[in-house]
Amino acid sequence: MLQSFMVAALCAAAAAADLADEETREAMREIFQSMRYLLPLSAGDSWQDAEQAEPVRDALQTVAERASLLAEHAQGDLELHYLGSALAATLRKALQRYERAEFEPARFLLLRATDYCIACHSRLPAHKDAPQAVDFVNGTVLVNLTLGQRARLQMATRRFDDALASLETLFAASGVHPSQLPGALVDYLIISIRVRRDFDRALDTLHRFTQRSDLWIDLRADIRHWLDVLREFRSTPLDPPTLALGIELIERATDGRRYTTDRRSLVHYVLASSVLHRFLESQPQRDELAHAYYLLGLSEYRIGGNFWIPQGELFLEWAIRLAPASPVAADAYALLEEEILAGYTGSSGLHLPEDERQRLQSLRALIGARPEQEL
Ligand code: HEC
């Protein structure tokens, strides 16, 4: 399935892109209408009401169908295809649970589904917010959610300015300790850099954040470093978004080290991911596409924004499958193996599920690693 889609993806005609844009927007409007009904309902007390059963089922079904359609029309965009299919699959699972009167799991899956909306919307620049979603959070019971959760739903519905405002209020709230904010800081940087490209606003907000008296030494130093990087790139336009620029930013982030896990390079990784996502829009050749996915995989693991979606893994796997004979595939495999093994290692050793073992072995075979290197 992935293989055949990848081949189709590489052959996709750029001429169809305009049509796809209109289809995408139409599918989105229908998805949004259904989510506008489902999400506030699931956050209130009427989620289990029998009289809502029919419209809830219809709405879940609609989102699943439209998301599948979106995936089918992905026009060569591997990520769009994956996120559309995964959104559809999550909604189908939510519907199954709902049909079995398992309301809590259904509610949980519906909320998880919004992570796909966020992942898809926050890849590329957008200059204005979706007008139809203006009251989606602020005019419904969703306004009772925490500021961080509200910001996520605002991202999901393309209300990026509202999301920035929610996060700014959160950063200034004295009742919330900075140790509770790493995810919110990542969201803030992603919106400011990738979507809004508004470095001045990010500089203001982060500068104010460093004035808080409860930051620990390391966090303050890291954020000051982010401020330096943002100041540097405010006047460097990051255009055109070439692969070479993406490579340069990753080199700055890693600073010669392959496995940096610290927060300090976060802004460099978000800048790199922004350039690379925009680079993919230019429909590059296969080798360059693979290289871009390798670097996006690396960045995704370092940014760590999406706990529920294995984007880092997917990007690395695509890099390997697109150009298995390239040196990039070997690097991508090395990183993927390390990350997957680390994910399954506990105090009692490695517990690698059989399907993951087979997946790694098939990728190894693709890149021509020696077969005696058994996992
Ligand atoms: C596979 C990628 C993808 C996923 C998943 C996705 N969207 Fe979108 N969405 C888009 C694109 C692309 C646009 C068009 C942006 C533009 O106009 O340039 C869009 C536009 C929108 C708009 C504005 C529509 C308009 O009339 O301009 C809303 C609202 C929206 N999405 C809500 C959602 C919600 C809610 C979800 C999750 C349930 C979601 N989207 C999931 C890609 C996605």
Side-chain angles (χ1 to χ4, degrees), residues 361 364-365 368-375:
Q361 249 149 21
R364 244 178 210 232
R370 292 205 312 278
E372 66 268 25
Q373 295 173 323
E374 287 297 323
L375 283 172

Side-chain angles (χ1 to χ4, degrees), residues 147-278:
L147 283 160
Q149 289 168 329
R150 256 188 267 170
R152 298 285 292 170
L153 291 184
Q154 284 159 336
M155 291 168 82
T157 50
R158 299 183 73 84
R159 295 294 305 176
F160 296 109
D161 271 335
D162 294 347
L164 288 175
S166 297
L167 292 170
E168 283 158 4
T169 311
L170 177 64
F171 296 151
S174 54
V176 185
H177 192 262
S179 60
Q180 294 166 268
L181 297 174
L185 286 165
V186 168
D187 284 343
Y188 195 85
L189 289 171
I190 286 179
I191 306 174
S192 317
I193 295 174
R194 290 212 297 238
V195 182
R196 278 289 184 257
R197 307 184 74 189
D198 184 350
F199 291 23
D200 287 330
R201 184 163 175 176
L203 280 163
D204 266 7
T205 303
L206 291 175
H207 177 72
R208 236 174 298 122
F209 192 65
T210 59
Q211 313 289 303
R212 282 181 65 144
S213 58
D214 53 0
L215 297 196
W216 58 97
I217 292 175
D218 233 23
L219 181 61
R220 193 186 309 280
D222 287 344
I223 296 181
R224 287 203 173 129
H225 180 71
W226 300 352
L227 287 168
D228 289 342
V229 180
L230 285 169
R231 256 181 235 114
E232 178 189 341
F233 285 98
R234 179 174 47 177
S235 43
T236 317
L238 297 174
D239 281 310
T242 58
L243 180 60
L245 181 55
I247 293 172
E248 188 189 322
L249 286 162
I250 295 284
E251 270 165 12
R252 291 276 306 273
T254 45
D255 208 9
R257 291 162 291 162
R258 289 267 317 270
Y259 299 110
T260 46
T261 49
D262 60 89
R263 239 181 348 245
R264 186 146 305 196
S265 299
L266 183 60
V267 168
H268 276 123
Y269 284 119
V270 179
L271 288 167
S273 69
S274 173
V275 167
L276 292 162
H277 276 302
R278 289 189 292 130

